[in-house]
Coordinates of all heavy atoms in Angstrom, one line a residue:
M1 N -19.2 17.7 24.5 CA -20.0 16.6 24.0 C -20.7 15.8 25.1 O -20.1 15.7 26.2 CB -19.2 15.7 23.1 CG -18.9 16.2 21.8 SD -18.2 14.8 20.8 CE -17.5 15.7 19.5
R2 N -21.8 15.3 24.8 CA -22.5 14.5 25.8 C -22.4 13.0 25.3 O -22.8 12.7 24.2 CB -23.9 14.9 25.8 CG -24.8 14.1 26.7 CD -26.2 14.7 26.7 NE -26.6 15.4 25.4 CZ -27.1 14.8 24.4 NH1 -27.2 13.5 24.3 NH2 -27.4 15.5 23.3
W3 N -21.9 12.1 26.2 CA -21.7 10.7 25.8 C -22.7 9.9 26.6 O -22.8 10.1 27.8 CB -20.3 10.2 26.1 CG -19.3 11.0 25.3 CD1 -18.6 12.0 25.7 CD2 -19.0 10.8 23.9 NE1 -17.8 12.5 24.7 CE2 -18.0 11.7 23.6 CE3 -19.5 9.9 23.0 CZ2 -17.5 11.8 22.3 CZ3 -18.9 10.0 21.7 CH2 -18.0 10.9 21.4
T4 N -23.4 9.0 26.0 CA -24.3 8.1 26.7 C -23.8 6.7 26.4 O -23.3 6.4 25.3 CB -25.7 8.2 26.3 OG1 -25.8 8.0 24.8 CG2 -26.3 9.6 26.6
H5 N -23.9 5.8 27.4 CA -23.5 4.4 27.2 C -24.5 3.5 26.6 O -24.3 2.7 25.8 CB -23.0 3.8 28.6 CG -21.8 4.5 29.1 ND1 -20.6 4.5 28.4 CD2 -21.6 5.4 30.1 CE1 -19.7 5.2 29.1 NE2 -20.3 5.7 30.1
A6 N -25.7 3.7 27.0 CA -26.8 2.9 26.4 C -28.1 3.7 26.7 O -28.3 4.4 27.7 CB -26.9 1.6 27.1
P7 N -29.1 3.6 25.7 CA -30.3 4.3 25.9 C -31.1 3.7 27.1 O -31.0 2.5 27.4 CB -31.0 4.1 24.6 CG -30.3 3.0 23.9 CD -29.0 2.9 24.5
L8 N -31.8 4.5 27.8 CA -32.7 4.0 28.9 C -33.8 3.2 28.3 O -34.3 3.5 27.2 CB -33.2 5.2 29.7 CG -32.1 6.0 30.4 CD1 -32.7 7.3 31.0 CD2 -31.4 5.2 31.4
P9 N -34.3 2.2 29.1 CA -35.5 1.5 28.6 C -36.7 2.4 28.3 O -37.0 3.2 29.1 CB -35.8 0.5 29.7 CG -34.5 0.4 30.5 CD -33.8 1.8 30.3
G10 N -37.2 2.2 27.1 CA -38.4 3.0 26.7 C -38.1 4.4 26.3 O -38.9 5.2 26.0
N11 N -36.8 4.8 26.3 CA -36.4 6.2 25.9 C -36.1 6.2 24.4 O -35.0 5.9 24.0 CB -35.1 6.6 26.7 CG -34.7 8.0 26.4 OD1 -35.5 8.8 26.0 ND2 -33.5 8.3 26.8
R12 N -37.1 6.7 23.7 CA -36.9 6.9 22.3 C -37.3 8.3 21.9 O -38.5 8.5 21.7 CB -37.6 5.9 21.5 CG -37.4 6.0 20.0 CD -37.8 4.8 19.2 NE -37.5 5.0 17.9 CZ -38.3 4.9 16.9 NH1 -39.5 4.5 17.1 NH2 -38.0 5.2 15.7
P13 N -36.4 9.3 21.8 CA -36.9 10.6 21.5 C -37.5 10.7 20.1 O -37.1 10.1 19.2 CB -35.6 11.4 21.5 CG -34.5 10.5 22.0 CD -35.0 9.1 21.9
D14 N -38.5 11.6 20.1 CA -39.2 11.8 18.8 C -38.4 12.7 18.0 O -37.9 13.7 18.4 CB -40.6 12.4 19.1 CG -41.4 12.6 17.8 OD1 -41.3 11.7 16.9 OD2 -42.2 13.5 17.8
M15 N -38.2 12.3 16.7 CA -37.4 13.1 15.8 C -38.0 14.5 15.6 O -37.2 15.4 15.3 CB -37.2 12.4 14.5 CG -36.3 11.2 14.6 SD -34.7 11.5 15.1 CE -34.0 12.2 13.7
A16 N -39.3 14.7 15.7 CA -39.8 16.0 15.5 C -39.5 17.0 16.6 O -39.3 18.2 16.4 CB -41.4 15.9 15.4
I17 N -39.2 16.4 17.8 CA -38.9 17.2 19.0 C -37.4 17.5 19.0 O -36.9 18.6 19.2 CB -39.3 16.5 20.3 CG1 -40.8 16.4 20.3 CG2 -38.7 17.2 21.5 CD1 -41.3 15.5 21.5
N18 N -36.6 16.5 18.7 CA -35.1 16.6 18.7 C -34.5 16.0 17.4 O -34.2 14.8 17.4 CB -34.5 16.0 20.0 CG -33.1 16.2 20.1 OD1 -32.4 16.9 19.3 ND2 -32.5 15.7 21.2
P19 N -34.3 16.7 16.4 CA -33.8 16.2 15.1 C -32.3 15.9 15.2 O -31.7 15.3 14.3 CB -34.0 17.3 14.1 CG -34.0 18.5 14.9 CD -34.6 18.2 16.2
H20 N -31.6 16.1 16.4 CA -30.2 15.9 16.5 C -29.8 14.6 17.2 O -28.7 14.4 17.4 CB -29.5 17.1 17.2 CG -29.7 18.4 16.5 ND1 -29.1 18.7 15.3 CD2 -30.5 19.5 16.8 CE1 -29.4 19.9 14.9 NE2 -30.3 20.4 15.8
Q21 N -30.8 13.9 17.6 CA -30.5 12.6 18.4 C -31.6 11.6 18.1 O -32.8 11.9 18.0 CB -30.4 12.9 19.9 CG -30.0 11.7 20.7 CD -29.8 12.0 22.1 OE1 -30.2 13.0 22.6 NE2 -29.3 11.0 22.8
C22 N -31.1 10.3 18.1 CA -32.1 9.2 17.8 C -31.5 8.0 18.5 O -30.3 7.7 18.4 CB -32.2 9.0 16.3 SG -33.2 7.5 15.9
S23 N -32.3 7.3 19.3 CA -31.9 6.1 20.0 C -32.8 4.9 19.5 O -34.0 5.0 19.6 CB -32.0 6.2 21.5 OG -31.2 7.2 22.0
L24 N -32.2 3.9 19.1 CA -32.9 2.7 18.6 C -32.5 1.5 19.3 O -31.4 1.4 19.8 CB -32.6 2.5 17.1 CG -33.0 3.7 16.2 CD1 -32.4 3.5 14.8 CD2 -34.4 3.9 16.1
R25 N -33.4 0.5 19.4 CA -33.1 -0.8 20.1 C -33.6 -1.9 19.2 O -34.6 -1.8 18.5 CB -33.8 -0.8 21.4 CG -33.4 0.2 22.4 CD -34.1 0.1 23.7 NE -35.1 -0.8 23.8 CZ -35.6 -1.3 25.0 NH1 -35.1 -0.9 26.1 NH2 -36.6 -2.2 25.0
R26 N -33.0 -3.0 19.3 CA -33.4 -4.3 18.7 C -33.3 -5.4 19.7 O -32.2 -5.8 20.1 CB -32.6 -4.5 17.5 CG -33.0 -5.8 16.7 CD -32.2 -5.9 15.4 NE -32.7 -7.1 14.7 CZ -32.0 -7.6 13.6 NH1 -30.9 -7.0 13.2 NH2 -32.5 -8.7 13.0
V27 N -34.4 -5.9 20.1 CA -34.4 -7.0 21.1 C -35.2 -8.2 20.6 O -36.3 -8.1 20.1 CB -35.1 -6.5 22.4 CG1 -35.2 -7.5 23.5 CG2 -34.4 -5.2 23.0
D28 N -34.5 -9.4 20.7 CA -35.2 -10.6 20.3 C -34.7 -11.7 21.3 O -33.6 -12.3 21.1 CB -34.7 -11.0 18.9 CG -35.4 -12.2 18.4 OD1 -36.2 -12.8 19.1 OD2 -35.2 -12.6 17.2
P29 N -35.5 -12.0 22.3 CA -35.1 -12.9 23.4 C -34.8 -14.3 22.8 O -34.0 -15.1 23.3 CB -36.3 -13.0 24.3 CG -37.0 -11.7 24.1 CD -36.8 -11.3 22.7
A30 N -35.5 -14.7 21.7 CA -35.4 -16.0 21.2 C -33.9 -16.2 20.6 O -33.4 -17.3 20.6 CB -36.4 -16.3 20.1
R31 N -33.4 -15.1 20.1 CA -32.0 -15.2 19.5 C -31.0 -14.6 20.5 O -29.8 -14.4 20.1 CB -32.0 -14.4 18.2 CG -32.9 -15.0 17.2 CD -33.0 -14.2 15.9 NE -31.7 -13.9 15.3 CZ -31.5 -13.0 14.4 NH1 -32.5 -12.3 13.9 NH2 -30.3 -12.8 13.9
N32 N -31.4 -14.3 21.7 CA -30.5 -13.7 22.7 C -29.9 -12.4 22.2 O -28.7 -12.2 22.4 CB -29.4 -14.7 23.2 CG -28.7 -14.2 24.4 OD1 -29.2 -13.5 25.2 ND2 -27.4 -14.7 24.6
M33 N -30.7 -11.6 21.6 CA -30.2 -10.4 20.9 C -30.8 -9.2 21.7 O -32.0 -9.1 21.9 CB -30.7 -10.3 19.5 CG -30.2 -9.1 18.8 SD -31.0 -8.9 17.1 CE -30.5 -10.4 16.4
A34 N -30.0 -8.3 22.2 CA -30.4 -7.1 22.8 C -29.4 -6.0 22.4 O -28.3 -5.8 23.0 CB -30.4 -7.2 24.3
R35 N -29.7 -5.2 21.4 CA -28.7 -4.3 20.8 C -29.3 -2.9 20.9 O -30.5 -2.7 20.9 CB -28.4 -4.6 19.4 CG -27.8 -5.9 19.2 CD -27.6 -6.2 17.7 NE -27.1 -7.5 17.5 CZ -27.0 -8.1 16.3 NH1 -27.4 -7.5 15.2 NH2 -26.5 -9.3 16.2
Y36 N -28.4 -1.9 20.9 CA -28.8 -0.5 20.8 C -28.0 0.2 19.7 O -26.9 -0.3 19.4 CB -28.7 0.2 22.1 CG -27.2 0.5 22.6 CD1 -26.6 1.7 22.2 CD2 -26.5 -0.5 23.3 CE1 -25.3 1.9 22.6 CE2 -25.3 -0.2 23.7 CZ -24.6 0.9 23.4 OH -23.3 1.1 23.7
Y37 N -28.5 1.3 19.2 CA -27.8 2.1 18.2 C -28.2 3.5 18.4 O -29.4 3.9 18.4 CB -28.2 1.7 16.8 CG -27.2 2.0 15.7 CD1 -26.2 1.2 15.4 CD2 -27.3 3.3 15.1 CE1 -25.3 1.6 14.4 CE2 -26.4 3.6 14.1 CZ -25.4 2.8 13.8 OH -24.5 3.1 12.8
T38 N -27.3 4.4 18.8 CA -27.6 5.8 19.1 C -26.9 6.7 18.0 O -25.7 6.5 17.8 CB -27.1 6.1 20.5 OG1 -27.7 5.3 21.4 CG2 -27.4 7.6 20.8
L39 N -27.6 7.6 17.5 CA -27.1 8.6 16.6 C -27.3 10.0 17.1 O -28.4 10.3 17.7 CB -27.9 8.5 15.2 CG -27.8 7.2 14.5 CD1 -29.0 7.1 13.5 CD2 -26.5 7.0 13.8
S40 N -26.3 10.8 17.0 CA -26.5 12.2 17.5 C -25.6 13.2 16.7 O -24.5 12.8 16.2 CB -26.2 12.4 19.0 OG -24.8 12.1 19.2
V41 N -26.1 14.4 16.4 CA -25.4 15.4 15.7 C -24.8 16.4 16.8 O -25.6 16.9 17.6 CB -26.3 16.1 14.7 CG1 -25.5 17.3 14.1 CG2 -26.8 15.2 13.7
E42 N -23.5 16.5 16.8 CA -22.9 17.3 17.8 C -22.0 18.4 17.1 O -21.4 18.1 16.1 CB -21.9 16.5 18.7 CG -22.6 15.3 19.4 CD -23.5 15.7 20.5 OE1 -23.4 16.8 21.0 OE2 -24.3 14.9 20.9
P43 N -21.9 19.6 17.7 CA -21.0 20.6 17.1 C -19.5 20.3 17.4 O -19.2 19.6 18.4 CB -21.4 21.9 17.9 CG -21.9 21.4 19.2 CD -22.6 20.1 18.9
T44 N -18.6 20.7 16.5 CA -17.2 20.5 16.7 C -16.6 21.8 17.2 O -17.3 22.9 17.1 CB -16.5 20.0 15.4 OG1 -16.6 21.1 14.5 CG2 -17.1 18.8 14.9
L45 N -15.4 21.8 17.6 CA -14.7 23.0 18.0 C -14.4 24.0 16.9 O -14.2 25.2 17.1 CB -13.3 22.7 18.7 CG -13.5 21.9 20.0 CD1 -12.1 21.5 20.4 CD2 -14.1 22.7 21.0
F46 N -14.5 23.5 15.6 CA -14.2 24.3 14.5 C -15.4 24.8 13.7 O -15.3 25.3 12.6 CB -13.3 23.6 13.5 CG -12.0 23.1 14.2 CD1 -11.8 21.8 14.5 CD2 -11.0 24.0 14.6 CE1 -10.7 21.3 15.1 CE2 -9.9 23.6 15.2 CZ -9.7 22.2 15.5
G47 N -16.6 24.7 14.3 CA -17.8 25.1 13.7 C -18.5 24.2 12.7 O -19.5 24.5 12.2
D48 N -17.9 23.0 12.6 CA -18.5 22.0 11.7 C -19.5 21.2 12.6 O -19.7 21.5 13.7 CB -17.4 21.0 11.2 CG -16.3 21.7 10.3 OD1 -16.7 22.8 9.8 OD2 -15.2 21.2 10.3
A49 N -20.0 20.1 12.0 CA -20.9 19.2 12.7 C -20.3 17.8 12.6 O -19.7 17.4 11.7 CB -22.3 19.2 12.1
A50 N -20.6 17.0 13.7 CA -20.1 15.6 13.8 C -21.3 14.7 14.0 O -22.2 15.1 14.8 CB -19.1 15.5 14.9
L51 N -21.4 13.7 13.3 CA -22.4 12.6 13.5 C -21.7 11.6 14.3 O -20.8 10.9 13.9 CB -22.9 12.0 12.2 CG -23.9 10.9 12.3 CD1 -25.2 11.3 13.1 CD2 -24.3 10.3 10.9
V52 N -22.2 11.4 15.6 CA -21.7 10.4 16.5 C -22.6 9.2 16.5 O -23.8 9.3 16.8 CB -21.5 11.0 17.9 CG1 -20.9 10.0 18.9 CG2 -20.7 12.3 17.9
R53 N -22.0 8.1 16.1 CA -22.8 6.8 16.2 C -22.2 5.9 17.2 O -21.0 5.7 17.4 CB -22.6 6.1 14.8 CG -23.1 6.9 13.7 CD -23.2 6.1 12.4 NE -21.9 6.0 11.8 CZ -21.6 5.2 10.7 NH1 -22.5 4.4 10.3 NH2 -20.4 5.3 10.2
Q54 N -23.1 5.4 18.1 CA -22.7 4.5 19.1 C -23.6 3.2 19.1 O -24.8 3.4 19.0 CB -22.7 5.1 20.5 CG -22.2 4.3 21.6 CD -22.1 5.0 22.9 OE1 -22.5 6.1 23.0 NE2 -21.6 4.3 23.9
W55 N -23.0 2.0 19.2 CA -23.8 0.8 19.1 C -23.1 -0.3 19.9 O -22.0 -0.2 20.3 CB -23.9 0.4 17.6 CG -22.6 -0.1 17.0 CD1 -22.1 -1.4 17.0 CD2 -21.6 0.7 16.4 NE1 -20.9 -1.4 16.4 CE2 -20.5 -0.1 16.0 CE3 -21.5 2.1 16.2 CZ2 -19.4 0.4 15.4 CZ3 -20.3 2.5 15.5 CH2 -19.3 1.7 15.1
G56 N -24.0 -1.3 20.3 CA -23.5 -2.4 21.0 C -24.6 -3.1 21.7 O -25.8 -2.9 21.4
R57 N -24.2 -4.0 22.6 CA -25.2 -4.8 23.4 C -25.7 -3.9 24.5 O -25.0 -3.2 25.1 CB -24.6 -6.1 23.9 CG -25.6 -7.0 24.6 CD -24.9 -8.4 24.8 NE -25.8 -9.2 25.6 CZ -26.8 -9.9 25.0 NH1 -27.0 -9.9 23.7 NH2 -27.6 -10.7 25.8
I58 N -27.1 -4.0 24.7 CA -27.6 -3.2 25.8 C -27.0 -3.5 27.1 O -26.8 -4.7 27.4 CB -29.2 -3.4 25.9 CG1 -29.8 -2.8 24.6 CG2 -29.8 -2.7 27.1 CD1 -31.3 -3.1 24.5
G59 N -26.6 -2.5 27.9 CA -25.9 -2.7 29.1 C -24.4 -2.6 29.0 O -23.7 -2.7 30.0
T60 N -23.9 -2.5 27.8 CA -22.4 -2.4 27.6 C -22.1 -1.0 27.1 O -23.0 -0.3 26.6 CB -21.8 -3.4 26.7 OG1 -22.4 -3.2 25.3 CG2 -22.2 -4.8 27.1
R61 N -20.8 -0.7 27.1 CA -20.4 0.6 26.5 C -20.4 0.6 25.0 O -20.7 1.6 24.4 CB -19.0 0.9 27.0 CG -18.5 2.3 26.6 CD -17.2 2.6 27.3 NE -16.8 4.0 26.9 CZ -15.9 4.6 27.4 NH1 -15.1 4.1 28.3 NH2 -15.6 5.8 27.0
G62 N -20.1 -0.5 24.4 CA -20.2 -0.6 23.0 C -19.1 0.1 22.2 O -18.0 0.4 22.8
Q63 N -19.3 0.4 21.0 CA -18.3 1.1 20.1 C -18.9 2.4 19.7 O -20.1 2.6 19.7 CB -18.0 0.2 18.9 CG -17.5 -1.2 19.3 CD -17.3 -2.0 18.0 OE1 -17.1 -1.5 16.9 NE2 -17.3 -3.3 18.2
F64 N -18.1 3.3 19.2 CA -18.6 4.5 18.6 C -17.7 4.9 17.4 O -16.6 4.5 17.3 CB -18.7 5.6 19.6 CG -17.4 6.2 20.0 CD1 -16.9 7.3 19.4 CD2 -16.7 5.6 21.1 CE1 -15.7 7.9 19.8 CE2 -15.5 6.2 21.5 CZ -15.0 7.3 20.9
K65 N -18.3 5.7 16.5 CA -17.6 6.2 15.3 C -18.1 7.7 15.1 O -19.3 8.0 15.3 CB -18.0 5.4 14.1 CG -17.3 5.8 12.9 CD -17.6 4.8 11.7 CE -16.7 5.2 10.5 NZ -16.9 4.2 9.5
I66 N -17.2 8.5 14.7 CA -17.5 9.9 14.5 C -17.3 10.2 13.0 O -16.2 10.0 12.5 CB -16.7 10.8 15.4 CG1 -17.0 10.5 16.9 CG2 -17.0 12.3 15.1 CD1 -16.0 11.3 17.8
N67 N -18.3 10.8 12.4 CA -18.2 11.2 11.0 C -18.3 12.8 11.0 O -19.3 13.3 11.6 CB -19.3 10.6 10.1 CG -19.2 9.1 10.0 OD1 -19.9 8.4 10.7 ND2 -18.3 8.7 9.2
L68 N -17.4 13.4 10.3 CA -17.4 14.9 10.3 C -18.1 15.4 9.0 O -17.9 14.8 7.9 CB -16.0 15.4 10.3 CG -15.2 15.1 11.6 CD1 -13.8 15.5 11.5 CD2 -15.9 15.6 12.8
F69 N -18.8 16.5 9.2 CA -19.6 17.2 8.1 C -19.3 18.6 8.1 O -19.0 19.2 9.1 CB -21.1 16.9 8.2 CG -21.4 15.4 8.0 CD1 -21.5 14.6 9.1 CD2 -21.7 14.9 6.7 CE1 -21.8 13.2 8.9 CE2 -22.1 13.6 6.6 CZ -22.1 12.8 7.7
D70 N -19.4 19.3 6.9 CA -19.2 20.7 6.8 C -20.3 21.6 7.5 O -20.0 22.7 8.0 CB -19.2 21.2 5.3 CG -17.9 20.6 4.7 OD1 -16.9 20.4 5.3 OD2 -18.0 20.4 3.4
N71 N -21.5 21.0 7.6 CA -22.6 21.8 8.2 C -23.6 20.8 8.9 O -23.5 19.6 8.7 CB -23.3 22.7 7.2 CG -23.8 21.9 6.0 OD1 -24.5 20.9 6.2 ND2 -23.5 22.4 4.8
T72 N -24.4 21.4 9.7 CA -25.4 20.6 10.5 C -26.4 19.9 9.6 O -26.8 18.8 9.8 CB -26.1 21.5 11.5 OG1 -25.1 22.1 12.3 CG2 -27.0 20.7 12.4
R73 N -26.8 20.6 8.5 CA -27.8 20.1 7.6 C -27.3 18.7 7.0 O -28.1 17.8 6.9 CB -28.2 21.1 6.5 CG -29.2 20.5 5.6 CD -29.7 21.6 4.6 NE -30.5 22.5 5.4 CZ -30.9 23.7 5.0 NH1 -30.6 24.1 3.8 NH2 -31.7 24.5 5.8
S74 N -26.1 18.7 6.6 CA -25.5 17.4 6.0 C -25.5 16.3 7.1 O -25.8 15.2 6.8 CB -24.1 17.7 5.5 OG -24.1 18.6 4.5
A75 N -25.1 16.7 8.3 CA -25.1 15.7 9.3 C -26.5 15.1 9.7 O -26.6 13.9 9.9 CB -24.4 16.3 10.6
E76 N -27.5 16.0 9.7 CA -28.8 15.6 10.0 C -29.3 14.7 8.9 O -30.1 13.7 9.1 CB -29.7 16.8 10.1 CG -29.5 17.6 11.4 CD -30.3 18.9 11.4 OE1 -31.0 19.2 10.4 OE2 -30.3 19.5 12.5
A77 N -29.0 15.0 7.6 CA -29.4 14.1 6.5 C -28.8 12.8 6.6 O -29.5 11.7 6.4 CB -29.0 14.8 5.1
A78 N -27.5 12.7 7.0 CA -26.9 11.4 7.2 C -27.5 10.6 8.4 O -27.7 9.4 8.3 CB -25.4 11.6 7.5
L79 N -27.9 11.4 9.4 CA -28.6 10.7 10.6 C -29.9 10.1 10.1 O -30.2 8.9 10.5 CB -28.8 11.8 11.7 CG -29.5 11.3 13.0 CD1 -28.9 12.1 14.1 CD2 -31.0 11.4 12.9
L80 N -30.7 10.8 9.4 CA -32.0 10.3 8.9 C -31.8 9.1 8.0 O -32.5 8.1 8.1 CB -32.8 11.4 8.2 CG -33.3 12.5 9.1 CD1 -33.9 13.6 8.2 CD2 -34.2 12.0 10.1
R81 N -30.8 9.1 7.1 CA -30.5 8.0 6.2 C -30.1 6.8 7.0 O -30.6 5.7 6.8 CB -29.4 8.4 5.2 CG -29.0 7.3 4.2 CD -27.9 7.8 3.3 NE -26.7 8.1 4.0 CZ -25.8 7.3 4.4 NH1 -26.0 6.0 4.3 NH2 -24.7 7.7 5.1
L82 N -29.2 6.9 8.0 CA -28.8 5.8 8.8 C -30.0 5.3 9.7 O -30.1 4.0 9.9 CB -27.6 6.2 9.7 CG -26.3 6.3 9.0 CD1 -25.3 7.0 9.9 CD2 -25.8 5.0 8.5
R83 N -30.8 6.2 10.1 CA -32.0 5.7 10.9 C -32.9 4.9 10.1 O -33.3 3.8 10.6 CB -32.7 7.0 11.4 CG -34.0 6.6 12.2 CD -34.7 7.8 12.7 NE -35.9 7.3 13.4 CZ -37.0 8.1 13.6 NH1 -37.0 9.3 13.1 NH2 -38.0 7.6 14.3
K84 N -33.1 5.2 8.8 CA -34.0 4.4 8.0 C -33.4 3.1 7.7 O -34.1 2.1 7.7 CB -34.2 5.2 6.6 CG -35.2 6.3 6.8 CD -35.4 7.0 5.4 CE -36.2 8.2 5.5 NZ -36.4 8.9 4.3
I85 N -32.1 3.0 7.5 CA -31.4 1.7 7.3 C -31.6 0.8 8.5 O -31.9 -0.4 8.4 CB -29.9 2.0 6.9 CG1 -29.8 2.6 5.6 CG2 -29.1 0.7 7.0 CD1 -28.4 3.1 5.3
K86 N -31.3 1.4 9.7 CA -31.4 0.6 10.9 C -32.9 0.1 11.2 O -33.1 -1.0 11.6 CB -30.9 1.4 12.1 CG -29.4 1.6 12.1 CD -28.7 0.2 12.0 CE -27.2 0.4 11.8 NZ -26.6 -0.9 11.8
E87 N -33.9 1.0 10.9 CA -35.2 0.6 11.1 C -35.6 -0.5 10.1 O -36.4 -1.4 10.5 CB -36.2 1.8 10.9 CG -36.1 2.7 12.1 CD -37.0 3.9 12.0 OE1 -37.3 4.3 10.8 OE2 -37.2 4.6 13.0
R88 N -35.1 -0.6 8.9 CA -35.3 -1.7 8.0 C -34.7 -3.0 8.5 O -35.2 -4.0 8.2 CB -34.8 -1.4 6.6 CG -35.7 -0.5 5.7 CD -35.2 -0.4 4.3 NE -34.7 1.0 4.2 CZ -33.6 1.4 3.6 NH1 -32.9 0.5 2.9 NH2 -33.3 2.6 3.5
R89 N -33.7 -2.9 9.3 CA -33.1 -4.1 9.9 C -33.7 -4.5 11.2 O -33.2 -5.4 11.8 CB -31.6 -3.8 10.1 CG -30.8 -3.7 8.8 CD -29.4 -3.6 9.1 NE -28.6 -3.9 7.9 CZ -27.3 -4.2 7.9 NH1 -26.7 -4.3 9.0 NH2 -26.7 -4.5 6.8
G90 N -34.8 -3.8 11.6 CA -35.5 -4.3 12.8 C -35.3 -3.5 14.0 O -35.9 -3.8 15.1
Y91 N -34.6 -2.4 14.0 CA -34.4 -1.5 15.1 C -35.6 -0.7 15.3 O -36.2 -0.2 14.3 CB -33.2 -0.6 15.0 CG -31.9 -1.3 15.3 CD1 -31.3 -2.1 14.2 CD2 -31.2 -1.3 16.5 CE1 -30.1 -2.7 14.5 CE2 -30.0 -1.9 16.7 CZ -29.5 -2.6 15.7 OH -28.3 -3.3 15.9
R92 N -36.1 -0.4 16.5 CA -37.3 0.4 16.8 C -37.0 1.4 17.8 O -36.2 1.3 18.7 CB -38.4 -0.4 17.2 CG -38.8 -1.5 16.3 CD -39.6 -0.9 15.1 NE -39.7 -1.9 14.1 CZ -39.3 -1.8 12.8 NH1 -38.7 -0.8 12.4 NH2 -39.5 -2.8 11.9

């Protein structure tokens, strides 16, 4: 597995190029808010798929959560659903 601590500034992969990873940011200097949210679909040792979510303040390690799925298609659908939810909350 590949672990990243925080997305690089300006690094937002296009979903058409890489449907297995998405990096979002939400920055509001007036509210002292600088957050990131990273989603990625990774293979497991047993042939399943895992949706790895990592979030926190930009520049920190943050927290992560792993959700397991039977196949990659289900994990990708969950990634897209979570991406839409985060974009509605102001992440870009």
Side-chain angles (χ1 to χ4, degrees):
M1 279 191 198
R2 177 180 26 86
W3 298 99
T4 57
H5 295 293
L8 298 173
N11 182 20
R12 182 163 181 234
D14 184 32
M15 291 298 287
I17 296 171
N18 187 1
H20 299 290
Q21 184 175 9
C22 175
S23 296
L24 302 169
R25 297 179 357 159
R26 184 176 179 189
V27 178
D28 184 359
R31 296 173 58 192
N32 194 25
M33 181 189 305
R35 299 178 185 168
Y36 70 92
Y37 201 91
T38 302
L39 301 161
S40 64
V41 175
E42 306 285 344
T44 66
L45 294 174
F46 304 107
D48 300 334
L51 175 61
V52 180
R53 299 189 277 169
Q54 186 173 3
W55 67 93
R57 185 168 176 84
I58 293 175
T60 66
R61 185 173 184 172
Q63 302 177 24
F64 73 93
K65 184 174 186 175
I66 299 173
N67 297 98
L68 300 175
F69 293 89
D70 291 333
N71 54 50
T72 304
R73 181 172 288 169
S74 299
E76 288 173 355
L79 183 146
L80 292 174
R81 183 180 56 80
L82 287 167
R83 179 182 179 200
K84 287 180 184 178
I85 291 170
K86 291 300 174 182
E87 286 178 341
R88 277 188 252 140
R89 289 188 164 194
Y91 284 83
R92 303 285 172 236

